[in-house]
Amino acid sequence: MADLLTAEAVREDLGGLTGWSGDGTGITRTVELSSFPAAIAVVDRVATVAEELDHHPDIDIRWRTLTFRCVTHSAGGVTHRDIELAGRIDDIVRSAA
């Protein structure tokens, strides 16, 4: 099982990410894309990465607005796997802009 990050470690790691907030219970980022198809394309790319990492975010889709939430449910909070996935999501969102 992955080791939980402390709230302080989560805050430090979030400093290197774009638009993420949260604490030791979960991290979240909301992004707005140019259109619904663009948002779904981002979700599709995130799904591919999530499968590669065997670690899946919760994704809320509202027209062209996406909210990603990362938490390692099996560990009961945020782990390095969540930070890694958040960074990969940042890369995908950045390339979609």
Side-chain angles (χ1 to χ4, degrees), residues 50-96:
E51 282 295 298
E52 290 171 6
L53 298 175
D54 192 28
H55 194 61
H56 305 84
D58 296 329
I59 305 172
D60 181 62
I61 304 168
R62 306 289 170 122
W63 184 36
R64 59 186 186 152
T65 302
L66 305 174
T67 300
F68 298 97
R69 178 170 166 77
C70 298
V71 60
T72 304
H73 297 287
S74 61
V78 177
T79 68
H80 285 292
R81 296 182 76 197
D82 300 301
I83 302 301
E84 178 183 3
L85 179 56
R88 298 285 297 274
I89 291 170
D90 280 355
D91 293 342
I92 291 167
V93 169
R94 191 174 16 263
S95 70

Side-chain angles (χ1 to χ4, degrees), residues 1-39:
M1 183 182 304
D3 291 333
L4 287 176
L5 298 177
T6 65
E8 181 178 330
V10 171
R11 279 192 301 277
E12 287 177 20
D13 287 344
L14 291 180
L17 300 173
T18 304
W20 289 87
S21 62
D23 56 27
T25 64
I27 59 174
T28 304
R29 179 180 180 190
T30 298
V31 297
E32 187 172 314
L33 284 298
S34 61
S35 66
F36 183 71

